[in-house]
Amino acid sequence: SRKRKRAGLFTNDVRSLLYAFGDVKNPNSETVAVLEDILSGYIVDLCHEASKFSRTAGRAKVKVDDFKFALRKDPQKIGRVEELLAMQKLIRDAKKTFD
């Protein structure tokens, strides 16, 4: 039911992920398109949910905490978010000491 505004946005990434998880080097284009639709839909839904929490808190901008709150029921995803945020902080601090 959703219109694909930016078709092909994640095509190369989905192909690489499929290959990394054991598929053939050049997976079926229909498989890639379906997975890309699912991925795009998930990202849009997650952004809408984070935006809803942001508006509930009275903010116009969406913050990282809004995404963390939207993912609170999925321990694997929230753990990955925490890991990436810690890595981002580590890289930022390393750049400061290097400069």
Side-chain angles (χ1 to χ4, degrees):
S1 66
R2 245 185 218 122
K3 287 188 177 182
R4 289 177 53 162
K5 291 184 180 178
R6 299 186 87 175
L9 186 63
F10 301 111
T11 301
N12 292 334
D13 297 321
V14 170
R15 279 196 177 122
S16 297
L17 283 170
L18 283 171
Y19 182 62
F21 281 98
D23 202 351
V24 294
K25 186 145 179 93
N26 294 314
N28 189 339
S29 60
E30 291 176 5
T31 303
V32 173
V34 167
L35 285 174
E36 189 174 8
D37 277 345
I38 292 169
L39 176 63
S40 298
Y42 176 76
I43 291 172
V44 168
D45 292 343
L46 181 63
C47 289
H48 281 296
E49 193 169 344
S51 175
K52 182 175 67 174
F53 295 132
S54 174
R55 280 183 268 127
T56 302
R59 291 189 311 270
K61 292 184 178 180
V62 179
K63 293 186 175 184
V64 173
D65 289 336
D66 298 321
F67 284 100
K68 287 168 59 176
F69 189 75
L71 293 170
R72 71 191 180 281
K73 295 179 184 173
D74 192 337
Q76 282 186 311
K77 289 184 183 116
I78 196 71
R80 182 67 174 149
V81 168
E82 294 291 341
E83 181 183 341
L84 290 172
L85 289 172
M87 187 62 67
Q88 180 185 25
K89 184 181 182 317
L90 183 70
I91 291 170
R92 189 178 338 118
D93 293 344
K95 284 181 179 181
K96 282 182 184 177
T97 58
F98 185 72
D99 290 339

